[in-house]
Amino acid sequence: MYENKENHNVPEVTFKTRVDNDWKEVTSSEIFNNKKVIVFSLPGAFTPTCSSTHLPRYNQLASAFKEHGVDTIVCLSVNDAFVMNAWLADQEADNIYLLPDGNGEFTEKMGMLTDKSDIGFGKRSWRYSMFVDNGTIKKMFIEPEKPGDPFEVSDADTMLAYLAPDASKPSSVALFTKPGCPYCAKAKELLNKHGHTYEEMMIGKDVTSVAMTAVSGRNTTPQVFIDGKHIGGSEDLETFLTA
């Protein structure tokens, strides 16, 4: 059974990170002392749930966490620094500090090391999240011990509900664009003006026009989705935001 370590101090270890192509050692004290820190730990970079949901949602809710006193949001995985940096670039998760626990030392001391040799992963972290205040673990959300990779309680929304039950959550916004499109620029300006962060999918780079048409039913750009609802182009967005 994975131990809940609320009211304990985080383990003191030294993490081997890479900054500007150089090795940099970072200690637990540097990360946690005199700060309010959220940590969410997951089995591996580039894996499906981690890439599609766990990391992106924490990145999306970062502003809400910071409004309620959180200084740093840390994503930890038993991966090396090169893998974590590549994943950060791929995800464009600029609001999250990706921390490599390459040897699994921190994870082992947390009692969260798990054996995933059956799928060729070796030793990895069990999925969990925690809120740490000045080095002391105040709250942990540990995924239930079920087969596979359960993802029920360590998500960003659960953590935000714990820290700020009445907090308003940012909308989930997806935006299809293409280079040089003035209406796309207008849509982004509108979203920024109204305080919406968004995930941009550029035709020819991130997605094809065929895929955009398939999900939106339209072949013009931009196409905007908010909380899963198709809004439409820039004029539709303006109407929606000013209604």
Side-chain angles (χ1 to χ4, degrees), residues 18 27 37 69-70 92 125 138 149 152 168 183 190 198 214:
R18 295 280 295 180
T27 66
V37 181
V70 173
E92 299 179 349
S125 176
K138 296 297 185 180
D149 179 25
E152 301 175 13
S168 59
Y183 301 105
L190 285 166
Y198 53 85

Side-chain angles (χ1 to χ4, degrees), residues 173-178 180-201 212 218 220-226 230-242:
V173 182
L175 176 66
F176 289 92
T177 66
K178 69 179 180 182
C181 166
Y183 301 105
C184 301
K186 178 182 177 181
K188 289 191 279 188
E189 183 181 343
L190 285 166
L191 289 169
N192 290 329
K193 178 181 177 181
H194 288 268
H196 289 289
T197 58
Y198 53 85
E199 179 178 344
E200 182 177 4
M201 291 164 285
M212 181 195 73
R218 299 187 190 179
T220 58
T221 53
Q223 293 301 322
V224 184
F225 290 79
I226 298 180
H230 181 215
I231 304 303
S234 58
E235 291 185 2
D236 301 313
L237 176 63
E238 185 170 25
T239 300
F240 177 83
L241 292 174
T242 56

Side-chain angles (χ1 to χ4, degrees), residues 9-10 32-37 71 131-139:
N9 291 335
V10 293
F32 294 104
N33 283 6
N34 301 309
K35 298 175 186 175
K36 297 182 187 296
V37 181
D71 297 296
F131 175 63
V132 183
D133 188 354
N134 192 24
T136 301
I137 301 167
K138 296 297 185 180
K139 183 66 177 178

Side-chain angles (χ1 to χ4, degrees), residues 13 21 97 114 144 160 171 177 197 208-209 220 231:
V13 305
N21 295 317
Y97 179 26
T114 187
L160 183 59
S171 296
T177 66
T197 58
T208 65
S209 58
T220 58
I231 304 303

